[in-house]
Amino acid sequence: MVDVAYQQGYFSVLRWRPNPTRDEARNVAVMLFDAEGTMGGLRKVDVGRVSQRLREQGILDTILVGLQQRFATEPRPDLAEIRRMNMSLGLSLYVTDPKPCAVVAVRSALNTLERAYIWRAGGGGGVSKARLVNTVIRRLRQVDLSVTREATVRSFTFDLLVTHERARVAMEVLTFAKPRQNDWREAEHDAGHFLFGLERADLPGLAVVQPPSEASTEAAEASFGRVREWCSDAKVPVLTPDELADRPMTVLDFATGDNPIW
């Protein structure tokens, strides 16, 4: 018989309640920790699956990334700190009471907790903007770029603001890959606001655009063509998500002018 060494751990769930007057909270992260802050970790949901509102996504993303960084440094959050969070947070965002759990390996324990407590939404309906924004952020952060959602510069709000040292790039994310959508005025309005804002904020800009799919309507194709033409006239590069995945550092190349992609 093999003796297994267990470690005393605890876990809490971070929950998001979009409407504090209604009890419709969703789990957005699960945290594993111990009493001393010597071990632990965090698993979080893709915020685009929690809310389609970009402002809410920005708030959640900032909080979750900050917590993730806390769990990546020592000392990690301990039982006392999580209990303080449990007492201090409320209304839209709150932490559940810490519960004890036996931990053999942190990664295995986090995998189990993630399967049990992290809310996951179903897909369908093509590629949503919220989902695409999350994909773009993940790819940029994988190469250590700092990304801020819903960033406001000189009164203009951009989907994303990428910063690295002294370079900054404003980014717009659009998708035309929704098979059943015929009205694309909102996407065109977003594109126009983005291009106008770039000029007024004096920022380099880059658009990441998911083209129409084979199932998309003719209206999607026409709107996509208009937006691409506007960007070309404004000398704003347009990349597909796949192109960005192949060369994410292109964002900074464009900002610094070292290797312009346009």
Side-chain angles (χ1 to χ4, degrees):
M1 182 175 179
V2 178
D3 291 331
V4 178
Y6 288 93
Q7 194 172 356
Q8 178 62 65
Y10 300 86
F11 73 92
S12 285
V13 178
L14 186 66
R15 310 202 75 204
W16 171 258
R17 186 164 43 204
N19 187 342
T21 64
R22 300 171 63 182
D23 189 17
E24 297 179 350
R26 292 173 175 174
N27 298 345
V28 295
V30 61
M31 301 175 287
L32 177 67
F33 47 93
D34 63 6
E36 297 79 22
T38 60
M39 69 88 177
L42 175 145
R43 293 290 172 82
K44 62 185 179 68
V45 75
D46 182 336
V47 296
R49 297 172 183 249
V50 178
S51 173
Q52 296 296 311
R53 299 173 182 173
L54 294 182
R55 179 174 176 78
E56 287 185 356
Q57 287 182 24
I59 295 170
L60 277 174
D61 185 65
T62 299
I63 293 169
L64 293 177
V65 169
L67 278 172
Q68 203 167 40
Q69 291 171 346
R70 281 285 291 113
F71 276 98
T73 58
E74 295 184 358
R76 295 178 175 87
D78 57 17
L79 179 59
E81 181 174 344
I82 300 301
R83 279 179 172 159
R84 286 195 296 270
M85 290 176 61
N86 169 254
M87 296 295 292
S88 61
L89 294 178
L91 296 179
S92 293
L93 193 68
Y94 65 96
V95 174
T96 62
D97 291 328
K99 294 182 179 180
C101 62
V103 179
V104 176
V106 171
R107 183 185 294 273
S108 176
L110 280 170
N111 288 342
T112 301
L113 291 168
E114 181 180 27
R115 287 194 297 270
Y117 291 98
I118 294 300
W119 176 85
R120 297 178 184 275
V127 181
S128 70
K129 175 164 179 168
R131 179 180 171 187
L132 187 56
V133 166
N134 291 323
T135 299
V136 170
I137 289 175
R138 184 169 60 253
R139 289 170 177 170
L140 294 174
R141 286 177 175 165
Q142 284 173 348
V143 291
D144 297 324
L145 295 177
S146 176
V147 186
T148 304
R149 295 173 183 257
E150 291 289 286
T152 300
V153 181
R154 296 186 184 177
S155 300
F156 288 91
T157 301
F158 301 98
D159 283 347
L160 304 174
L161 185 68
V162 182
T163 58
H164 182 72
E165 296 178 352
R166 287 179 292 179
R168 295 198 303 173
V169 182
M171 296 181 66
E172 176 72 15
V173 180
L174 296 169
T175 177
F176 292 89
K178 293 184 178 181
R180 293 180 293 275
Q181 183 167 327
N182 285 298
D183 188 347
W184 294 95
R185 285 175 293 183
E186 183 177 354
E188 293 182 9
H189 175 272
D190 289 349
H193 174 88
F194 170 66
L195 295 174
F196 184 70
L198 288 179
E199 182 180 351
R200 292 304 180 96
D202 193 26
L203 282 173
L206 180 70
V208 178
V209 182
Q210 179 70 53
S213 67
E214 293 182 0
S216 296
T217 63
E218 291 183 3
E221 293 282 359
S223 184
F224 170 67
R226 281 192 290 272
V227 169
R228 189 169 50 182
E229 184 178 353
W230 296 346
C231 290
S232 176
D233 290 344
K235 295 183 169 53
V236 171
V238 175
L239 293 179
T240 67
D242 289 340
E243 289 171 336
L244 180 69
D246 290 338
R247 43 179 183 167
M249 291 301 291
T250 296
V251 175
L252 289 185
D253 292 338
F254 172 67
T256 59
D258 293 338
N259 182 28
I261 60 176
W262 149 231

